Amino acid sequence: KAKEAGGGVYAAYDPAMHNALMQRLGMADDLRLALERDELVLHYQPTVDLASGEIIGFEALVRWQHPTRGMVPPLEFIGIAESTGLIVPLGRWVLTEACRQAVEWGRPLKMAVNVSVRQFEAGDLAATVAAVLAETGMPADQLCLEMTESVLLTDTDENLSRIVALKALGVMLAMDDFGTGYSSLAYLRRFPMDVLKIDRSFVDRLTTGDAGDETLVTTIVRLGHRFGMRTVAEGIEDETQLTALRAMGCDYAQGYFLSRPLPSAAAGALLETGLPTYAAATPTR
Ligand code: C2E
Ligand code: MG
Ligand code: MG
Ligand code: MG
C-alpha cells in the first residue's frame, strides 16, 4: 500500500521497524565517535595446547565500552560497522591494538584477530596488515587472521588472490566457525588456510558421549590434518569435551572451561601463572 501511495520502497509505517532503524542509525553515529573517543577495548581468550595445557596464544575479541549501555558485545555492533563501512577503520584499530599487545607481552605468542568479509573485500587488507606489522614490530608468523567461510564464497578468483597476498606476508590464516557454512570441503582444498577452527556447535554435542557426534568431530579433526592444518576446538565448556577432544588428537582449544576472554591485564597475569583449570583436569603422568 505504501508503494501505491508513491512511497517508493518503503512499506507501511511500522513503529517497531522505525525504532530499530533509528537505533541502528544512532548506533552508527555513536560507533563512529567510539573509535575517536577510544571506547573500544580488546579482550583476549587463550588458545590452549590440548596435549600440554600450555597457553600458545590468544584470540583478540573486541568490546565497546559504551558510556551509557555498558560493555556492548561485538555481535551487537559488528553488523552495523560492516553496513556503514566503519568496519575498515575499526578493523585496523583491532589489528593494531592486538599486535601492539602481543609485542608488549614479549613472548612468541600467536595472536588471532577476526577479519570480517567486508573488511576483506573493501580496500587492500594485505597492505593494511603489512603496515600494521611494520608499525608495531609484530613478527608476521605470530599473527593469525580468522575469517569465516563466507569470505571464500563470493568473487572467488579475486578473493583467492587476496588470500594469496596475505599468505605472502607470512601471516597465518584460520577458517573460523568451520562446519557452519557451505561448500566447506571444496574450499578447504582451494584456499591455503593454516588453521581450522571447529565450531562450538560441534563441540557442544560432545557432552552426551554420543558415538555419532564423536565420529563427526573426529572426522573434522582428521580432515583438517589431512589438509595440513592445525585444528582448534571452539567453546569448550566442560571436562568431558576437553578429554574427548584431546583423545581425538585435536591440537588446540578455547572455551569458558579453560578461560573466558579476559581484559589485557588479566590475560597477561594468566600468561605468568598458566591455567588452573587445566592443571586440575590433567592427571599427572
Ligand atoms: P568468534 O570469532 O567465533 O569468537 C568466539 C566467540 O565465542 C566469542 O564471542 C567468545 O567470547 C565466545 N566463546 C568463547 N568460548 C566460549 C564458550 O565456551 N562458550 C560460549 N557460549 N561462548 C564462548 P564474542 O567475543 O561475543 O564474539 C562474537 C563474534 O564476534 C566472534 O565470533 C567474531 O565473529 C566477532 N568478533 C569479535 N571480535 C571481532 C573483531 O575484532 N572483528 C570482527 N570483524 N569480528 C569480531
Ligand atoms: Mg574467531
Ligand atoms: Mg569462531
Ligand atoms: Mg563463532
Side-chain angles (χ1 to χ4, degrees):
K1 265 180 200 144
K3 213 169 191 172
E4 287 162 20
V9 296
Y10 295 98
Y13 179 75
D14 172 348
M17 240 168 86
H18 178 78
N19 287 342
L21 178 66
M22 292 321 284
Q23 204 195 330
R24 281 178 75 90
L25 290 177
M27 209 151 169
D29 289 337
D30 281 8
L31 191 55
R32 197 168 286 121
L33 288 172
L35 263 173
E36 292 166 18
R37 293 177 184 162
D38 253 358
E39 290 171 7
L40 298 181
V41 63
L42 296 183
H43 283 187
Y44 298 93
Q45 186 176 38
T47 306
V48 177
D49 184 321
L50 273 169
S52 69
E54 250 175 283
I55 296 173
I56 61 120
F58 291 93
E59 177 175 5
L61 295 157
V62 71
R63 276 97 182 82
W64 179 3
Q65 279 178 312
H66 193 281
T68 56
R69 292 172 204 246
M71 196 71 92
V72 184
L75 292 180
E76 286 177 32
F77 64 87
I78 291 291
I80 293 167
E82 286 178 333
S83 60
T84 54
L86 273 173
I87 192 69
V88 175
L90 188 155
R92 189 187 170 117
W93 179 84
V94 170
L95 264 171
T96 309
E97 181 58 17
C99 290
R100 191 202 59 72
Q101 182 62 73
V103 170
E104 191 185 302
W105 278 325
R107 298 185 188 202
L109 291 166
K110 304 284 182 208
M111 180 61 79
V113 174
N114 293 284
V115 173
S116 88
V117 200
R118 287 294 302 272
Q119 205 180 336
F120 182 79
E121 288 175 348
D124 193 342
L125 183 60
T128 301
V129 171
V132 169
L133 293 174
E135 244 168 76
T136 58
M138 174 78 160
D141 61 358
Q142 279 180 238
L143 178 65
C144 181
L145 302 177
E146 296 193 358
M147 41 193 92
T148 56
E149 289 159 273
S150 54
V151 161
L152 311 178
L153 284 178
T154 47
D155 221 340
T156 310
D157 284 333
E158 206 177 346
N159 284 352
L160 181 58
S161 58
R162 288 187 169 111
I163 298 260
V164 170
L166 286 170
K167 283 297 301 174
L169 297 175
V171 300
M172 297 197 303
L173 301 178
M175 187 172 286
D176 207 348
D177 305 334
F178 180 76
T180 58
Y182 300 99
S183 308
S184 317
L185 301 183
Y187 286 109
L188 280 189
R189 186 165 139 66
R190 178 141 189 215
F191 293 94
M193 309 298 272
D194 305 281
V195 176
L196 189 69
K197 296 192 75 173
I198 304 166
D199 192 66
R200 177 156 59 84
S201 55
F202 298 105
V203 173
D204 268 349
R205 297 195 225 164
L206 293 176
T207 319
T208 55
D210 180 273
D213 288 334
E214 288 197 1
T215 303
L216 182 61
V217 180
T218 303
T219 304
I220 299 176
V221 170
R222 288 199 187 142
L223 177 76
H225 288 165
R226 287 295 291 266
F227 281 103
M229 291 182 281
R230 292 306 177 107
T231 50
V232 181
E234 293 190 315
I236 295 202
E237 292 186 351
D238 62 42
E239 196 175 339
T240 311
Q241 296 165 346
L242 180 90
T243 309
L245 285 154
R246 202 203 274 138
M248 289 170 190
C250 182
D251 302 290
Y252 308 117
Q254 291 179 289
Y256 294 168
F257 182 68
L258 298 163
S259 167
R260 294 202 167 237
L262 302 168
S264 56
L270 194 65
L271 261 182
E272 300 296 328
T273 61
L275 286 172
T277 353
Y278 200 98
T282 312
T284 39
R285 272 172 285 193

